[in-house]
Amino acid sequence: MAGPSAHDEEFTGYVNTRSAWLRQVAFLLCGDWHGADELLQVAVTRLYLNWSRVRAVENPDGYARTVLVNAYLAERRSSWVRRVIPLGGQEERPAAGGDLDGVLDLRRALASLPPRQRAVLVLRYYCDLSVEETAVTLRCSQGNVKSQSARGIDRLRRLLQPSAEEVTS
Amino acid sequence: MTLDADGLAAGLRELARSPAPPMRLDVPAVRAAGRRRRRAVRVAGGVLACGVLFGGVAVVNGGDDVTVAVASLSQGRDPLLAHAAFGWLPDSVIGVSHTVGAHGDQVMARAGGEWGMRLWLRMYEADDDPPLEDGRTALPAPPVNGRRAYWITEDPRDPLNGGDAFLRWRVPDGRWAELHGYYMEEADQGAVLLRVAADVTIGTRPVPLPLRIEGLPAGLDVTEVHFWRPGFTDDETWELAMFYAGPDGASVTIQVSPLTMPGGRCRAAAGLTVCVDAKGVDPDGLLRRITLLGADERRWTTEVVIE
């Protein structure tokens, strides 16, 4: 039997080095690690199918992130997934040493956001993408990214700090 | 947790570091599944090619797609022009938004609620075949008003693309229109999208707006209009924002809504509030030239800017 092709070796090498990061992004999108692993499997399969294209792009991480986010949005649009896969998932504890209650609250609040808003916030504030980069990733206008960001943050503020007086801008 | 941008970024970083179970990603299984999918796509491609022989047309892959404006700005009496408009829409739709500016142009109908249906209308340049992005397939759909139509999908086995459905159809002048729908609860999404598409009208028309401005300061050009229906706050109200720029850095933003808005110079009348933010222009003088036409859209006008 022939050994793995250079194509497969490259792909495997990339996934081995970047899967932990992609999994974290998937976790922030899904809200639970089991869902994140399912999403990662879908996204990495798509990367494999398009590996020749991934090799050709200047920013393979950006490509992989786009594939992951699109896979997440496509799944969340499916009524089947909305029925079968819980949005919140199990309550894993956040890392010790931080604001445990605050992080759990943030996780619950994020789970209540519509998928596009959640994706915009993850891309803007976790992946540190610009408005323009986020718009390209989501194939929408920059205005749409701005409005989704504003709505998402506003919703999180209301969920996390119901008293308007406590909100900081 | 303090939720400004930095606070949110810090919270997300901390959340991403949550203790996790062992990763279940199986790379050899991914490669095997990928190879099976490749074979399946080849088979599907063969089936589609056969479809051509029986009168259907399946366009597989194409070049870069080019969108043409579905709405645009005008320096005339109505600053907001639509080049395509919805007709029939499902009862769940509560408003149609128009936004135009440097970031692009959008016409979107939506149902209520965060998960309410979204229907986006777009236009593409005239061509023999529909625009098609890499990795997508055009599957023949029932004709729209007697003209060719296609479902655009990432999965040739699923015309509605997992609920993220794209319908592209040719319009009389040879251009292509697109209806993009998602969050749809309708039992037959395809039938709903086809009915909406059949009632879309193509052609330029001014969008009625809820104000009149008598004598806009000279030299100001409209640069963006955002008319969100519904707005960002709830499903009942709406928000209009018009952005103007002029010589020597002059700028004006005019916002109108049934809501009370923070900041700027504001005035309330006819159940609406108008606020003006201005640089290089007297905001109070401009406010006095604005007439609000009320919340009843039958009284809105396309004669917005009067000399």
Side-chain angles (χ1 to χ4, degrees), chain B residues 128-213:
Chain B
D128 290 338
D129 292 317
L132 196 59
E133 300 83 357
D134 285 345
R136 295 194 176 194
T137 301
L139 300 174
V144 173
N145 297 324
R147 294 184 179 82
R148 286 189 290 145
Y150 298 89
W151 302 112
I152 308 298
T153 178
E154 294 177 1
D155 182 352
R157 296 161 299 182
D158 176 14
L160 297 180
N161 199 36
D164 186 19
F166 294 83
L167 175 66
R168 289 178 185 160
W169 72 100
R170 209 164 187 206
V171 299
D173 64 4
R175 290 184 297 164
W176 291 85
E178 177 188 275
L179 189 58
H180 174 198
Y182 52 91
Y183 299 162
M184 296 179 74
E185 298 295 337
E186 282 71 11
D188 189 343
Q189 292 181 21
V192 170
L193 290 171
L194 286 165
R195 186 174 174 193
V196 171
D199 221 27
V200 166
T201 51
I202 307 299
T204 300
R205 65 179 183 86
V207 178
L209 298 178
L211 77 166
R212 184 177 296 118
I213 307 169

Side-chain angles (χ1 to χ4, degrees), chain B residues 210 256-258 266-274 290-295:
Chain B
V256 182
S257 174
C266 301
R267 184 166 62 80
L272 303 179
T273 301
V274 56
I290 294 174
T291 302
L292 294 171
L293 302 178

